[in-house]
Amino acid sequence: MLPILVEKVVYNHINKSLLEKKQKFIEHLDKEEINDFIVRNDTSETYSSFSTLHSEFLSLSRVPSNGKINQTLFVTEPRIIEDERNDYKILQYYFKYENTNYLLEIGNSLSEINDLTFVIRLFFIIVLIIIVVITFLADTFYIEYLLKPFYKIIDTKIRHVNEPESFDHTPIKTHSKDFQELDTVLNQMMDRISELFKKEKQFIANVSHELLTPIALLKNKFENLLQNESLDDNAVDKLVGSLSTLDLLKKIIGNLLLISKIENNQYEANEMIDFDVIITDLVTDLQDRIDDKKLSFKKKLEHHCSFRGNKTLMHILFYNLIVNAIKYNKPLGTIEIKDGFLHGNYFLSISDSGIGMNEKQQQNVFKRFTRVSSDQEGQGLGLAIVESIAQFHRIGIEITSEINVGTTFLLLFPNEEKIN
């Protein structure tokens, strides 16, 4: 609305100026002056004067008698002065002097006013834009300053906390009571979570002990029963099947216990690990399985990586990935392990030419008790263990797979490792 208000103020100012000029003219008016104005050699009944630049003019003329005596009107209309046409704001004043009716017109050119109004409008627009920009920047920095404690709470107490033990209970320095209350509530909540976390660890340890002990006892009894020569073949088959079931149950419990211990950070991660050595040893141990399927194994490790972590867990991680590459591969297929750099991070990839996975299978592949193919043996815990170990070492995992083409597991290591 500023341009409209500016225009209104300017026109009001012009009207006021015209009224002042009219008042001065009327105050000094007399018969002699009127005659000087009107009586001309050209017998004109009108006297006009105007400024050099045609910005103002004054006109006095005799008019017939009418009902507009002592009335002041404001009109806007074009006038031609010395062959130059301009728009004027004109004050028209009808008055009677010594029984003669006169019309006084005082005009002010609008061309300069319109130019000035345009400049003022443009000035207001520029100032408004500057004010908006300054206000936006000021508000942005001010809000950033106000919310700094909140971002600090998010960053130090939520985003980078992977387990209760690493939670920082140090109060956040802030003058806001709301943020102080938020910090206090988070500390209390994490204390409760930490307590439940400790109880869970103890529960898992107790359950694993209580389950593994009777399994071992049952297995021992079944093995003793197998020594009894009075058993017929049917009974022996049932005992052998029961022993297989107990072995499977023991293996499942062991894997679940392993995942739980990893997620509870019950392992140390301070050993220097040589991937080349681990992979070479695993390939030697699994060579029989590779030969059974007549697979071609290729190892292309061009960089020597010294990674700090848990050697046993990393051995399990590579074992499960290579075993899966063998299990889900095709006869006469290939397995390739290579390394390199991606986005500045060292990576290891394990590729096979096996059955592959669709998109849904890739999304569920790390879920516990999920198997890619029901035709293969296993409990569906191998890749769940791989994911837990990778998260423990802050290793990223990316999967690329295509049905009947193959699958690639890419391990992206954090930047702390030393690469030669």
Side-chain angles (χ1 to χ4, degrees), residues 112-371:
E112 294 182 4
I113 300 300
N114 291 334
D115 293 341
L116 179 60
T117 304
F118 173 77
V119 172
I120 294 175
R121 288 177 178 178
L122 182 62
F123 172 77
F124 271 122
I125 292 174
I126 293 174
V127 170
L128 183 61
I129 293 174
I130 294 174
I131 290 175
V132 169
V133 172
I134 293 176
T135 304
F136 174 77
L137 294 176
D139 287 350
T140 300
F141 287 114
Y142 186 60
I143 291 173
E144 184 76 19
Y145 171 76
L146 287 180
L147 295 180
K148 188 175 181 180
F150 175 75
Y151 294 138
K152 190 173 182 180
I153 291 174
I154 295 295
D155 189 56
T156 60
K157 299 202 171 185
I158 297 178
R159 183 173 295 153
H160 298 298
V161 177
N162 296 321
E163 60 277 335
E165 285 82 358
S166 63
F167 184 79
D168 185 7
H169 287 79
T170 305
I172 299 296
K173 294 181 180 179
T174 175
H175 299 292
S176 172
K177 292 184 178 180
D178 295 329
F179 291 149
Q180 290 175 355
E181 181 68 19
L182 175 61
D183 186 35
T184 302
V185 171
L186 281 175
N187 289 339
Q188 293 173 352
M189 181 183 69
M190 192 55 68
D191 288 337
R192 292 194 295 269
I193 292 175
S194 180
E195 186 64 27
L196 293 173
F197 194 66
K198 292 177 182 178
K199 291 180 179 179
E200 181 187 2
K201 285 183 179 180
Q202 187 63 38
F203 172 77
I204 291 172
N206 293 337
V207 168
S208 62
H209 179 268
E210 294 299 327
L211 286 176
L212 292 176
T213 300
I215 288 175
L217 293 174
L218 284 172
K219 184 177 180 181
N220 187 46
K221 289 182 178 180
F222 287 154
E223 289 175 348
N224 290 334
L225 284 173
L226 285 175
Q227 304 300 323
N228 192 337
E229 297 180 357
S230 63
L231 294 176
D232 56 19
D233 292 340
N234 188 30
V236 171
D237 291 340
K238 289 182 179 180
L239 286 174
V240 171
S242 298
L243 283 172
S244 299
T245 302
L246 287 175
D247 287 335
L248 177 60
L249 181 59
K250 183 179 179 180
K251 189 174 182 179
I252 292 174
I253 293 173
N255 287 334
L256 291 174
L257 183 59
L258 175 62
I259 293 174
S260 178
K261 287 182 178 180
I262 295 170
E263 292 177 349
N264 292 338
N265 294 314
Q266 294 179 247
Y267 287 92
E268 297 292 335
N270 53 9
E271 300 174 293
M272 296 306 297
I273 302 170
D274 191 324
F275 297 135
D276 194 5
V277 173
I278 291 179
I279 293 172
T280 301
D281 292 341
L282 283 172
V283 172
T284 301
D285 295 338
L286 297 171
Q287 191 63 48
D288 292 341
R289 297 191 186 185
I290 295 174
D291 293 338
D292 288 342
K293 277 197 169 184
K294 298 180 181 180
L295 302 176
S296 173
F297 185 87
K298 300 177 183 178
K299 184 181 69 170
K300 299 179 180 179
L301 300 183
E302 300 178 356
H303 306 277
H304 179 72
C305 174
S306 296
F307 180 75
R308 186 175 295 277
N310 187 284
K311 189 178 296 184
T312 302
L313 293 181
M314 292 304 298
H315 187 279
I316 295 172
L317 180 144
F318 283 111
Y319 174 84
N320 286 338
L321 289 177
I322 295 175
V323 166
N324 272 8
I326 297 172
K327 183 189 300 184
Y328 297 105
N329 214 325
K330 301 174 183 177
L332 302 177
T334 60
I335 298 175
E336 183 180 55
I337 300 179
K338 64 180 181 179
D339 65 352
F341 291 92
L342 182 64
H343 307 306
N345 292 70
Y346 179 73
F347 76 86
L348 272 170
S349 65
I350 301 174
S351 305
D352 64 67
S353 58
I355 61 176
M357 295 180 289
N358 57 35
E359 186 175 349
K360 184 176 180 180
Q361 288 172 326
Q362 294 179 47
Q363 293 174 355
N364 299 324
V365 72
F366 292 115
K367 292 184 179 180
R368 299 177 188 182
F369 304 105
T370 300
R371 289 185 292 173

